Amino acid sequence: MIKQAEKEYSPERLEKKVQDFWKLSRAYEKTRDLREKGKKYYFVDGPPYTTGSIHMGTAYNKILKDVIVRYRRMQGLNVRDQPGFDMHGLPIEVNVEKKLSIVNKKQIEDLVGVESFVNSCRDFSLDLQGQMTDQFRSLGVWLDWDNPYRTIDNRYIESVWWTLQKAHEKKILDRYTSVLSWCPRCETAIADVEIRYTDFEDYSILVKFLLKGRSGESLLVWASMPWTLPANMAVAVNPEYEYAKVEMTIEDRKEILWLRRDKVDDVTSLVAIQDFQIMEIVKGSDMVGWEYFHPLASRVPYQNELSGEWIHKVLSSELVEDENTGVVHLAPGHSREGYEIGEAHGIPLFCPVDEGGYFTDEAGQYAGKHVRESNSIVVEDLRRERWLFHEGRITRKIGHCWRCDSPVIHRASQQWFLKVSDIKERMLDEIEDVKWIPEWAGTQKQKERVEKATDWCISRQRYWGTPLPIWICECGETTIIGSIKGLSKGKNYNKDMDLHRPWIDSVTFECKECGKEMRRTSDVLDVGFDSGVSMWAQLGYPAVKKQFNNWWPCRWITESQEQTDGWFYSLLFAGIIGFGEIPYKSVLMHGWVFDSEGQPLSKSMGDVSYPFDVIGEYGVDSLRFCMLKSKPPWDDLKFDPEAVKEANQTLDILWNVHRFGTLYMSMDRFNPNDWSLAGMSGNFSPEDNWLLSKVENLKGEVENDLEEYNIHTACNAIEEFILNDLSRWYVKLIRNRSWPEGDNNKKFAAYKALHEALLAVTRLLAPITPHISESMYQSLDADLLSVHMSDWPVTDEALIDKKLEERMTVVRGIVELVSKARQKIGLKLRWPVKNIVIKSNDDETAKSLENLKDILMEQTNSKEVDILWPGEEWDGMVLNVRPKVEAIGRVYKQWWSKIATMLESRPVEEVRKAIGEGEYKIGIEGQIVRIEPDMVEFMERLPEHVISIGFDKGDMYIDMEMTPELRAEGFAREIVRRVQQMRKEIDLDVEDFIRTQVKVRVELTKVLEEYDDYISGETRSRSFEFVPEELTEEYIVEWNVEGEAIGLAITPLYMKETLDAFIKIPGIDEKESMALFDSGYASMLSLQQASLSELMEVEGIDELDARKIRRYFDQPEELRAEEKALCPVCEAQVEMGASECSRCGVSLLPEMKKCPNCEAEIPLDSEECENCGSVLIEEEVEEISEEVKEIMEIPGLGLETARMLHELGYDIDALANTSEEELVKIEGITVPLARRISVYFEEWVEELVCPLCNAPASADAAQCTQCGTIFVSEEEVETMEEEPVPEAAEVPEVIDVPSFDEDTAVAMSLEKSHIYLVKEERQQRAMDMFTATMREGRPGLCVTRTFPDKFRESYNLGDTTVLWLSNIGKEDSIRPKDLEKLSLSLEKFVTETGGVVLLDGLEYLVTNNNFIIVLRLLQALRDVVAMNKSTMIVNVNPATLDTNQLNLLEREVDSVVDTLS
RNA sequence: GGGCCCAUAGCUUAGCAUGGUUGGAGCGCCCGGCUGAUAACCGGGAGGUCGAGAGUUCAAAUCUCUUUGGGCCCA
């Protein structure tokens, strides 16, 4: 059964509903299981770091994965989709440190203890994992969230260990001393990826290094970071540069300095130099070997103890750059370049700095000082010793620890490395075996990364990480443990022990070599390596082999471009170690997401941009569609919330088409499964075949795109189809066919085609926008539980008709041209044109037009379309005769002008015929005048009313002559359109019927009468009449159409509900129902009471029908009830009383709980166990407030939910007034629960309800808790009538003003801070009061449902502001339902001006809302009016309200003016 | 400093692999229309030295080189 889609596309509601549906029906699990037998497809999720909240980039990443995973599943593949989380490492540690207020490692060990610290880290990371999982789920991402792999699990760690053991076996694992980036705060080596470069002001000093054996000459050495000078071991010059010996005079002293020749000017300008002179020039290479005195040697004794070939000497290095003096200080212990140069020259590594960044004893006088504070000390020392030539500052990028933001230093330390040199070639080869998308991601980027790779330092001196499985003996023996089994052989091993520090540190082994105790190296592993093993770690390899054999290797991964250096690389590296091969077959490298300003989204913790604010507004699907369609995945994406809005609009349109389709399909009870495409083919119109052809094309196109990961073009193709083909063309073409009265065969053909197209779109969109697709799929009555279980749609070539598509394109082009022409001359589409003639230049175009002529006529609204084939000419051209004046003049002299005039007035054809035969004779003043052929010429021209338009394939003539018949038809259409507008304004159901009256000029009535069938059919009018005098139907509007005054009046019949009920009687369909209704049976009750003979008297009901009706009512009521109910989760029809839904498997039984006493299953809401009789509500009972108890009265609502609702501010009354949709929005309220609640109230309300405001009331209440109405029993009514108003004190004075002319108006000026209620049929009295008050000079404001201009004119209001109560969304109009806007507008006026307000048409507000709400509005306004010394006049037609309501109204006002009494 | 990617209307972008009518869209702006999908929808208009410069070619948004700006990565 096709289900009517909701009227509006509300993403928030829809997505929640769909996600609930997925959850309750276990749609994800079932989809996965469905493909269990399919070909295996191993996808691996690159584990995001657990930062706790996701940003746009993370969202984009997961969305891409979700698209491909869903797509592959639809292709039938059995996809492994375990998500992962990267949960070790410094970021977590740093955050835990912050939480515990710890500042360094010492405090972790001494204050907190490693055990407690690591436990905190685990808890913290698990918490973050949970948060992120929720966020990913809310994006609609279907991965196996219940079973993620985590880098912190023992099994995972074991796989890492195995890999490291492999590395050891392959001699890739090594330990040596190296200079690395080091964070002195975190006291660990850090990787380059953990460093963030930011501007930093640093020293830039020039220091004199006195040369040995060159009297008085010094090298002028440049250094930043003065603290590195104590560890200076040599200086470097560039061998290619020229260096100058410069003699400078400074403060009357002479200095002889060596520096780069080109820099002499720069340097001499730095200090106050009196004079300088270049003495000598040498090449850098000539300086090599020169020896100098270390300027701090006296403070750093170690400098004097050194010996070696290159100590304190000049070296040559190409690395010396064209900056500063060209003489660079080298401290191999403090810089990577220095280390490399030093190593090449055999210079010992001197690094007198400890892990915390403090100088060691080796640093002599500087020992104990932090390097950062030493900068100024060193500079001062140099200055004192006169070695400082210049002290400056430069701003440059300095590395900062990404996690804690401390400046990074370089420091020599012993670390564990994975050596890259031996496997580099293998890695490069393996890159070739992978399909990279885009190709350059592999062949360019990844290759470059590997080519430049250096050894990988994998050790970290921290706590929260995979412990390195390396045990070392003091004798030097080293062993690598590769499994838990291996570990279990150690001392202090416990089964099931956590493999993290500190527990692992207590496990020791006996050294095989010397028998001593081997202890684990205290380091942990670089987190970058953790995720590198995810491809086999998530399969439990090597501990479990089966999974591995099933799935290996990974078919596809996708991550952002930065993973070239990260995960892509670590996977490759680890893969080569573990298996000698790259572990993935194809890679989609995706781009970055930037914010709308183009700034990259920050990666660090706590500084993220949420995608969820956009989602709240436009929904997840819009976000997904927007991201996926705007760029190829490998490009960077600039995220713009506006673009999400646009995507939302497309989905909105799709929804509208869907809504359109399902609305009519369900109305007509169209069952798509009753019709096959082939079976329907005879009924298809050309546009149906066209649509089907388009759909098949689209399928192929989208598949091709997705195969190439051109997700953006796939999205664009779908979007184009939805907007252009489906919405803007197809729906337009089938509109007429889909009307309720339409021919069923033709109509159903359109439904079938549309259904087919919509179903295809839901499938094509399923991977991209999973929610809306699901929702559409559900209402399209498709066979599977979920759209995501369906197979990927395959193109049916047989349905493709390229020729038809081309022809349709031609026709569309023509229709558009005609529309343009109409627009140009201002002829609306509603007004038909007489004729369109299209002359085409080629056969194909003519054929196209001939073929699709019906479409052409309908869409251009033309009465006739003529197609001319190539060579044919249009005969509609008007021939003109043009007298040749000179020729006539030559013969007939002064008569020429008369002759010419006569010629022009004769029928052209007659003239031409005669001329063709030789001559044409006319009589002038009794003489025959002969017109010779040379005296005239004939010319063709367009007749009047005809315009001609050229197009690329021919010419077109449009005859726009407006004949009386066409004019009448135009008016008929105008009337139809106006009535439709009015139907809409009174919110009438599409299917419902009305009575219609039309009042027009008599002349027009005559021509229009011909169209009464048309008009009443189109407007679903059960009666239709032209009235000469007054319009009497309920809703009356005066229109001005093309200068004609047209009065329209309609009365809604509200038949739909009744007809729907009648139709449920077996054998009774719409026709019979209508007949019954028309003869006065307006409800099931009245029908039930009718006798057989009475029924038979009804016109259109035969005996058989009557008997069917009687039989229906004569059976017991239970049997009459519908046999089917709807599943609350998937809305499938289920048998009454079924225990679970056969479609989605959800339990339909009331929620059960276990009796704590006997463990029997009892309904969730029962207070007493049916089995053992124990009372279940214990001490808590006292604590439950009355309000909560009331809520718990609702069956199925447990204590917890009731409490939750109560805390949210709901009491029983509020719940009764909360719609099901709103209920679902409350967190914790599921769809079925919401349904249960609203069903409860529906039943409840029928029993006890305030007659006035419909609020629920208890049986014994004396007064309504909501509106205060006093309930009276029948006996009391009589007394009531004598004393109609309960509280006399509040009764306003009733002013008796029988007549009200201008004089009295002035005399009776209205009081300030006063509200007047005027009881009258029209607004006359109220208006008089209002205008009189305005004449006193007070500003006025009117609220009315009359059209403002008309209203102003009627009452001579000038430019007084008139707010129009109307559903037409104009600027100064207020929708009658939008009381908030109304109240705001009035408040604004009153507070700003204190003027007088007329509220006309209170009853209109009441019909559009309900009485009590309007009453509340009035109460609120009363206070505002009082406070601002304003005045308000409210008029109401008492006939529209009942006595009680009137009483209540009168109580709210200060005075009542009753014109009727 | 090196590698790679990106640049088209005010904004977001298609087209570029394979050069060829007048460079397409959407949003926004202005003007109009439609109306039983309707707080939707449709049409028209204005708005582009296709980042800049050079080259190849009969012909360049498209191919080549140089250059500028932005991004990612590596030093």
Side-chain angles (χ1 to χ4, degrees), chain A residues 715-821:
Chain A
C715 290
N716 288 327
I718 299 172
E719 184 172 37
E720 188 67 14
F721 175 78
I722 292 171
L723 297 181
N724 230 353
D725 298 335
L726 208 49
S727 168
R728 289 176 199 163
W729 194 238
Y730 186 70
V731 168
K732 215 160 104 180
L733 296 190
I734 64 165
R735 247 194 192 144
N736 281 341
R737 263 200 280 166
S738 41
W739 287 356
E741 292 79 11
D743 168 319
N744 266 7
N745 284 340
K746 283 281 165 194
K747 182 159 67 175
F748 279 20
Y751 289 170
K752 182 67 189 174
L754 182 59
H755 185 266
E756 196 66 19
L758 286 171
L759 210 51
V761 169
T762 65
R763 292 192 174 122
L764 296 175
L765 272 179
I768 295 158
T769 54
H771 304 90
I772 191 172
S773 300
E774 185 73 284
S775 180
M776 287 172 60
Y777 184 83
Q778 297 298 329
S779 50
L780 289 171
D781 193 28
D783 45 352
L784 296 160
L785 174 66
S786 162
V787 69
H788 304 289
M789 295 171 93
S790 43
D791 289 339
W792 185 252
V794 182
T795 305
D796 180 353
E797 297 286 344
L799 291 173
I800 293 185
D801 185 345
K802 279 283 165 200
K803 185 123 259 171
L804 178 60
E805 288 183 31
E806 283 162 23
R807 288 180 172 173
M808 192 63 94
T809 309
V810 173
V811 170
R812 256 188 109 165
I814 298 286
V815 171
E816 269 160 30
L817 278 178
V818 174
S819 309
K820 270 187 222 175

Side-chain angles (χ1 to χ4, degrees), chain A residues 1046-1079:
Chain A
I1046 297 185
L1048 297 175
I1050 62 173
T1051 299
L1053 296 177
Y1054 299 118
M1055 292 166 70
K1056 182 178 164 354
E1057 234 171 87
T1058 310
L1059 293 183
D1060 280 353
F1062 288 180
I1063 287 170
K1064 281 187 188 139
I1065 300 172
I1068 300 300
D1069 62 21
E1070 196 164 337
K1071 208 177 99 221
E1072 287 88 29
S1073 303
M1074 207 107 78
L1076 289 165
F1077 191 95
D1078 284 344
S1079 64

Side-chain angles (χ1 to χ4, degrees), chain A residues 411-507:
Chain A
R411 181 177 172 272
S413 59
Q414 200 176 41
Q415 302 288 350
W416 290 92
F417 291 87
L418 290 172
K419 292 191 295 178
V420 71
S421 42
D422 293 349
I423 58 169
K424 204 178 249 187
E425 280 310 309
R426 181 103 195 87
M427 286 166 83
L428 289 170
D429 288 349
E430 286 292 306
I431 289 174
E432 302 276 350
D433 288 348
V434 173
K435 179 177 162 70
W436 295 87
I437 302 128
E439 201 235 334
W440 49 261
T443 54
Q444 311 274 0
K445 251 176 112 76
Q446 196 64 55
K447 275 205 155 168
E448 145 109 3
R449 167 68 180 96
V450 171
E451 273 160 9
K452 297 210 168 161
T454 50
D455 290 355
W456 183 353
C457 173
I458 56 163
S459 48
R460 295 290 184 275
Q461 290 64 56
R462 295 296 306 188
Y463 309 94
W464 181 236
T466 303
L468 285 182
I470 304 170
W471 272 259
I472 307 167
C473 176
E474 50 185 75
C475 74
E477 179 63 12
T478 302
T479 183
I480 314 290
I481 300 298
S483 64
I484 294 174
K485 200 173 160 200
L487 183 75
S488 68
K489 301 200 173 92
K491 212 172 126 192
N492 296 329
Y493 169 80
N494 293 317
K495 197 170 176 292
D496 301 329
M497 71 182 286
D498 188 302
L499 298 184
H500 284 99
R501 293 187 74 184
W503 307 282
I504 190 73
D505 294 334
S506 60
V507 179

Side-chain angles (χ1 to χ4, degrees), chain A residues 240-246 257-268 276 278-284 287 322 324-327:
Chain A
E240 297 304 319
Y241 294 168
E242 284 184 332
Y243 289 84
K245 180 167 124 182
V246 188
L257 300 170
W258 284 92
L259 68 152
R260 187 155 176 223
R261 184 190 179 179
D262 296 350
K263 301 290 176 183
V264 170
D265 288 341
D266 292 351
V267 168
T268 51
F276 77 92
I278 293 176
M279 317 275 289
E280 190 185 341
I281 288 169
V282 299
K283 272 191 87 175
M287 297 164 72
D322 181 25
N324 302 304
T325 60
V327 189

Side-chain angles (χ1 to χ4, degrees), chain A residues 1190-1303:
Chain A
E1190 275 180 11
I1191 298 176
M1192 283 172 66
E1193 294 276 305
I1194 303 169
L1197 252 178
L1199 176 63
E1200 225 165 279
T1201 319
R1203 280 229 168 99
M1204 186 259 314
L1205 285 168
H1206 184 240
E1207 272 164 32
L1208 287 172
Y1210 288 92
D1211 56 16
I1212 194 81
D1213 296 332
L1215 280 176
N1217 285 320
T1218 308
S1219 70
E1220 197 176 319
E1221 286 82 20
E1222 284 169 300
L1223 283 169
V1224 175
K1225 284 187 200 153
I1226 302 170
E1227 203 177 330
I1229 301 291
T1230 56
V1231 174
L1233 192 55
R1235 184 145 307 164
R1236 221 170 286 160
I1237 295 173
S1238 68
V1239 164
Y1240 172 74
F1241 283 114
E1242 274 165 28
E1243 290 164 359
W1244 190 45
V1245 161
E1246 274 174 29
E1247 291 169 18
L1248 301 158
V1249 47
C1250 167
L1252 179 57
C1253 68
N1254 276 352
S1258 58
D1260 53 352
Q1263 193 173 6
C1264 173
T1265 48
Q1266 180 165 299
C1267 66
T1269 304
I1270 292 179
F1271 301 139
V1272 284
S1273 62
E1274 306 245 347
E1275 305 89 78
E1276 285 171 308
V1277 170
E1278 256 175 71
T1279 1
M1280 282 285 295
E1281 274 170 2
E1282 285 165 28
E1283 223 175 65
V1285 183
E1287 285 164 70
E1290 282 188 35
V1291 178
E1293 155 203 15
V1294 175
I1295 312 164
D1296 186 24
V1297 197
S1299 65
F1300 202 76
D1301 56 37
E1302 276 198 14
D1303 299 333

